[in-house]
Amino acid sequence: MPQSKLSESDYHQATKHSYLSVQLDPNYVDASTQPAAFKFYPKFYRRVKLNLNNPNHSFINLSSTITLEKIYKDGIQKLRVNPSAGALYPTEVYVQIRGIEGIVNGIYHLEVENNCLTLIYELIDDGLENYVIPGKCINGFIFLISCVYYRSSWKYKDRSLRYCWLDSGHHLGAIAASAYIHDKEIQLIFDFDKLALNAALGFENKEFVSACAISGTIQEKKIRHLRLQVPFVCGTDYFEANEFIESGYQKTSLQKSRQQKLVHPQFNFDKDKFFQTVWMRRSSRRFYQQSISQENYWRILQHITLPIPSENFEEIEVYSVVHQVRGMTPGLYKGKHLIKAGNFREKTGYLCINQAIAKDSAVTLFFVSDYINYQTAMQIAGFLGQRVYLVSNFWGIHCSGIGAFYDDETQEFLETNKDVLYAMAIGT
Ligand SMILES: Cc1cc2nc3c(=O)[nH]c(=O)nc-3n(C[C@H](O)[C@H](O)[C@H](O)COP(=O)(O)O)c2cc1C
């Protein structure tokens, strides 16, 4: 089918894994050809070093910072507060800052590797508001998440369209966690003029804005579009275009998502411990087939159902394959309802492309949806995924996202006709 004719769900359909597709293309890559995972604006741009004793700096820093450096024979891998499929980190963060003492009003790129903000645009009577929340002025912060898609498509080809959005959702979740720790509220925005913003930020076809998060006071005031275009800087050292991803992004950027009333979630974590959890969050590389308590299991599920602070929305339903939760019959559940009883360890491991984490976990979760807007649905799945990581880790339960599964066989096993967007394993 010509790509211009593809609809939202076709992008899901076209990126499905099956037993055969994985045999034919197991995604092997030469690690030495990996494109750069950090973006830098030219060295003559003005920079602000983030000072962690300043709460506003610390708020921004904790949204993206490096929390572990792993040394391999080919180099160092820098792991961050946000997880990422294959640790490829396609997402970048830009922050518009307005009316914050000690910081010039402007749009900044968050240079994660050097823990600083690079001023890429100074505001006068213009700003990002006109693209993301027209008619309003935000005194505070406007975060933009973008995807430098080649970092992910280098390895995962067309399926990386999914991973870019899931990663973007996780990154929004990391911003939300940092906001919570810094006593700030955030609102997520998915429906806005992304294409106009990409053009204004000079992204060409190499990077695309996926979502926005605002934090601050909202005032009725008209702010002009950006009066100048930001110069193009590539987020990787080399680039190969992928037409499918570019058209998938553009098509899903035009469709409005479902709408809901804005409600903020209420969390009740010990903030010092939660801060430690954000710093220590990691993906479990192995589970030991041990049980978890029902109390912890229900805590995790309950947090998934708390409000998502956004007016743009897609409903995510969660199925749980319970392998080992104390006092629960093993089997497939939707919420508290047991759909079918049984030991499905082998089956779940197989469905997740024979990954041991899906088999040896205490529970493997599957997120499904019958979305209107695929891009929004995937990002909300990632946003909830970040909650699952943090709530699990807070209570001493390990966790890992799982983006790779045999789509149709998983859907059949779950007995749903909704698309399976994401899976997560939790356990010890
Ligand atoms: C969208 C997404 C999909 C992922 N899929 C898998 C997967 O299929 N299998 C796996 O072992 N890990 C998976 N992970 C975990 C990543 O490998 C992990 O986040 C990355 O290596 C960075 O490590 P960290 O999470 O400990 O910081 C996934 C993570 C994300 C965010």
Side-chain angles (χ1 to χ4, degrees):
M1 198 188 292
Q3 286 182 359
S4 58
K5 295 248 160 50
L6 289 174
S7 73
E8 299 264 325
S9 57
D10 291 333
Y11 287 98
H12 187 77
Q13 178 67 30
T15 52
K16 282 182 174 173
H17 275 330
S18 66
Y19 182 77
L20 189 63
S21 75
V22 173
Q23 297 293 314
L24 290 174
D25 184 3
N27 283 330
Y28 292 137
V29 278
D30 172 356
S32 67
T33 67
Q34 183 181 347
F38 292 99
K39 177 172 179 173
F40 303 96
Y41 278 82
K43 58 177 185 297
F44 56 83
Y45 277 52
R46 214 183 323 160
R47 283 168 167 78
V48 180
K49 187 83 187 156
L50 291 174
N51 165 8
L52 301 189
N53 295 320
N54 173 325
N56 288 320
H57 288 209
S58 161
F59 168 39
I60 295 168
N61 165 272
L62 197 63
S63 71
S64 310
T65 194
I66 295 165
T67 49
L68 182 70
E69 299 199 1
K70 275 191 178 171
I71 299 166
Y72 294 98
K73 69 174 180 358
D74 294 331
I76 302 176
Q77 193 180 36
K78 300 188 176 183
L79 304 182
R80 317 188 191 180
V81 283
N82 51 309
S84 168
L88 299 175
Y89 302 104
T91 52
E92 291 287 331
V93 173
Y94 298 83
V95 201
Q96 176 179 297
I97 302 178
R98 188 193 287 287
I100 299 290
E101 209 191 308
I103 308 183
V104 171
N105 287 350
I107 303 172
Y108 295 82
H109 170 246
L110 177 51
E111 200 172 282
V112 174
E113 198 175 31
N114 296 323
N115 192 30
C116 65
L117 290 172
T118 307
L119 180 62
I120 60 169
Y121 192 94
E122 256 188 80
L123 304 179
I124 302 182
D125 58 346
D126 49 354
L128 295 177
E129 287 91 338
N130 208 3
Y131 304 84
V132 296
I133 186 161
K136 315 264 191 230
C137 170
I138 310 295
N139 275 306
F141 307 87
I142 301 181
F143 288 86
L144 293 178
I145 307 279
S146 72
C147 300
V148 176
Y149 79 76
Y150 183 55
R151 289 184 192 147
S152 184
S153 66
W154 162 73
K155 178 167 186 184
Y156 296 121
K157 319 257 175 50
D158 291 358
R159 196 166 167 108
S160 66
L161 186 61
R162 297 183 181 204
Y163 299 159
C164 282
W165 292 333
L166 288 170
D167 274 14
S168 174
H170 274 284
H171 215 147
L172 289 170
I175 295 173
S178 182
Y180 173 69
I181 287 167
H182 292 89
D183 302 317
K184 294 184 191 293
E185 272 189 343
I186 62 154
Q187 177 184 347
L188 311 180
I189 307 177
F190 297 101
D191 294 353
F192 57 94
D193 194 349
K194 294 176 183 170
L195 305 186
L197 199 45
N198 291 333
L201 294 173
F203 286 168
E204 297 191 345
N205 59 334
K206 299 180 182 61
E207 186 170 343
F208 51 69
V209 174
S210 44
C212 169
I214 56 178
S215 177
T217 51
I218 305 181
Q219 200 188 332
E220 298 290 328
K221 184 174 172 188
K222 190 157 166 34
I223 300 288
R224 272 212 301 149
H225 267 116
L226 299 187
R227 62 194 192 284
L228 302 169
Q229 198 189 314
V230 179
F232 169 67
V233 172
C234 192
T236 49
D237 41 354
Y238 76 107
F239 173 76
E240 288 176 68
N242 179 317
E243 258 183 59
F244 173 86
I245 290 177
E246 289 178 20
S247 76
Y249 167 71
Q250 292 196 6
K251 188 58 89 41
T252 55
S253 294
L254 300 173
Q255 170 73 52
K256 281 230 177 308
S257 317
R258 287 197 167 86
Q259 302 299 309
Q260 65 170 11
K261 202 169 157 294
L262 175 67
V263 183
H264 292 281
Q266 299 302 322
F267 299 109
N268 195 16
F269 294 107
D270 174 294
K271 287 209 176 165
D272 287 340
K273 186 174 168 196
F274 195 75
F275 175 76
Q276 291 306 323
T277 306
V278 168
W279 262 97
M280 305 300 286
R281 183 212 61 78
R282 284 275 78 83
S283 297
S284 182
R285 302 293 78 194
R286 188 170 174 190
F287 293 107
Y288 294 89
Q289 298 207 356
Q290 288 178 359
S291 62
I292 61 170
S293 71
Q294 269 203 56
E295 191 188 15
N296 280 337
Y297 170 63
W298 292 119
R299 271 180 178 143
I300 296 165
L301 279 205
Q302 187 253 334
H303 276 86
I304 300 178
T305 62
L306 292 181
I308 289 162
S310 179
E311 290 175 345
N312 317 132
F313 184 64
E314 296 293 347
E315 185 97 44
I316 306 288
E317 284 177 5
V318 180
Y319 285 81
S320 312
V321 186
V322 171
H323 300 313
Q324 226 171 337
V325 176
R326 288 192 283 283
M328 279 182 79
T329 306
L332 172 67
Y333 290 78
K334 192 169 157 204
K336 295 206 161 162
H337 171 65
L338 177 63
I339 298 172
K340 51 190 171 194
N343 175 347
F344 295 121
R345 278 195 190 282
E346 294 302 324
K347 179 77 184 173
T348 319
Y350 163 77
L351 290 174
C352 295
I353 324 247
N354 290 316
Q355 297 193 66
I357 48 169
K359 171 167 82 80
D360 297 335
S361 61
V363 183
T364 297
L365 306 169
F366 291 94
F367 294 179
V368 311
S369 177
D370 62 352
Y371 50 83
I372 299 175
N373 184 311
Y374 185 43
Q375 190 182 135
T376 303
M378 289 300 274
Q379 294 191 77
I380 290 180
F383 184 79
L384 292 177
Q386 189 70 6
R387 266 193 201 163
V388 172
Y389 265 103
L390 293 177
V391 177
S392 305
N393 285 187
F394 185 89
W395 294 107
I397 311 280
H398 300 228
C399 173
S400 179
I402 301 179
F405 42 85
Y406 300 132
D407 288 86
D408 286 342
E409 287 189 72
T410 304
Q411 207 175 356
E412 201 179 306
F413 171 70
L414 299 178
E415 300 174 14
T416 177
N417 50 17
K418 299 180 180 170
D419 286 344
V420 186
L421 306 187
Y422 195 24
M424 301 206 78
I426 54 175
T428 46

